[in-house]
Amino acid sequence: MFDVQKIREDFPILKRTINGKPLVYFDNAATSQTPQVVIDTIIDYYSNYNANIHRGVHTLSQEATDAYETARIKIQHHFNAKHSHEIILTSGTTHGINIVATGFTGFLSTGDEVIVSALEHHSNIVPWQMLCERTGAILKVIPMNEDGELLMDRYDSLLSDRTKLVFVNHISNALGTINPIKEIIDKAHAAGAAVLIDGAQSCPHIKPDMQALDVDFYVVSAHKLCGPTGVGMLYGKEKWLNQLPPYQGGGEMIDQVTFEKTTYAGLPHKFEAGTPNICGGIAFGAALDYMNAIGFDSIAAYEHELLEYGTSKLLEIEGLKIYGTAANKTSVISFNLENIHPYDVGTIVDKLGIAVRTGHHCAQPIMDFYKIPGTIRASFSFYNTKEEIDMLVDAIKKAQMMLG
Ligand code: 7TS
C-alpha cells in the first residue's frame, strides 16, 4: 500500500512555506529532495567518523573506508553490475560522461562516426562534440518526431561499420520520453559500437540492470534519487574500464610513482584521483536503501498515476500545449500557454509557492525542434500528490489571467 502522506513525513523540506504558501515542489527532474535518513547519514559521518579513506591505519579512516566501500557494493547490487570495481564514484552524470568522452580520444580517428539522439541534455552532447573536434570523428543525430519519440528506422540507417559509439539518454529530462534503450544497445553492438546510456533521469524512476541491458557505460547522479549533490556513478564494463586511460592524475589512482614513470592503480581507483566525496558516496548508498525500501515498482506506478492525472487536468486549460507526448513517458510534463513566455509563468507560480523549471532545460536542440524559447516543466516525484497538482492547475490559470 503506497501511503504518500507517510512518505511525505520523511522529507523535512516539504513542511516549508514559500511566500506564505505551502511549498509545492515540482522541480524533481532538476534535483530531488532529501529524506531525513539521508540527512542523518551525512550528520553521522561528520559527527562521528569523518576521515580520509584508503590511507590511514587509524580507526576513523578504517570506518570511513568501510562505509564508502560498502556504499559502492550497495550501488553495484542496485544496478546489478557484475563487479564492484565496475562502479566508479564520480561527481555526477556530467563527470561520468566526460571520463568516457575524454578516454575515447585515443580510440577514434578521422572518418569514424558516433551517434547521439535529438533528445539529449547538453551534458550528453558537448563532451562528445569536443571528442569529435579532437579526433576528426563525425557526430550523427537520431531524429525525433513531434511526440518526442526517436525515429528508430533512422537510427538503423545511421548505424554502419564506421559507428564506434552511441550515447543516448534513458529518459529525456525535457520531455520525459522513455527511450527504447535495449533495442538501441543491441543494434549498436550488432554494428560493433559501444554504448553509453545517460541515466540521470531514469535512476529516480527505474532500477536498470547493467547485465541484462548489456550496456557498456551507464551514468547517474545521486542528487536525482534522494541523495546529495556532487556524487554519482559511472558504471563501465570491466573490459572497457581496463582499456580507457585515467581521466585525472593524482593521489590514490597510482600503483608506483617515480619521476621516470608512474604506473596506475587497478579498478576502480584508476578513475578516482584525489580525495573523493566520501560522505556523498556513503549518503548515495543510504538514498538507494531508502528508495528500495519503498520499492521502484510502487514508485513508478504511483508516479504514472500522477502523470495521467496531471496531463488530463492541465489539458483542461484552454491554450495550454504539452510538449512530449510519447506513448512511453515518465512523470515530466513540459508545456506552454499560448502567447505567454514560460519565464513569466514560472515567476508567478513561484509567488504561489510552486517550484517548476522554466527555460530550455539544457536541451536547446529540443526547443529548436519545436521552435519555442523554452517550456514550463513540472516534474513529479513519489512524494507529490494530486492535491498539489490541483494547486499547480489553479496557479497556471491565475498566471494566464494575469498575463493573457
Ligand atoms: N543528463 C540528463 C538527462 C539530465 O537531466 C541532467 C541534469 C544531466 C545529464 C546532468 O546531470 P548533473 O547531475 O551532472 O548536472 N538535468 C537537469 C535538469 O533537467 N534540470 O536541471 C538539471
Side-chain angles (χ1 to χ4, degrees), residues 362-381:
C362 303
Q364 282 181 351
I366 298 179
M367 304 302 135
D368 292 347
F369 174 86
Y370 289 117
K371 300 189 175 54
I372 51 175
T375 68
I376 304 150
R377 182 187 69 181
S379 48
F380 310 134
S381 180

Side-chain angles (χ1 to χ4, degrees), residues 27-31 91-97 119-124 169-174 198-202 219-224 229-231 357 361-362 377 379:
D27 196 17
N28 294 287
T31 199
S91 70
T93 301
T94 305
H95 182 199
I97 294 171
L119 279 172
E120 300 307 312
H121 186 281
H122 296 163
S123 67
N124 201 27
N169 60 36
H170 196 160
I171 295 181
S172 154
N173 71 314
D198 170 352
Q201 292 296 334
S202 49
V219 285
V220 307
S221 297
H223 70 91
K224 307 276 193 201
T229 54
V231 66
R357 186 171 172 192
H361 315 298
C362 303
R377 182 187 69 181
S379 48

Side-chain angles (χ1 to χ4, degrees), residues 78-79 170-171 178 201-208 218 296 300:
H78 177 81
F79 291 97
H170 196 160
I171 295 181
I178 303 175
Q201 292 296 334
S202 49
C203 62
H205 310 292
I206 293 174
K207 191 169 173 170
Y218 198 100
F296 276 78

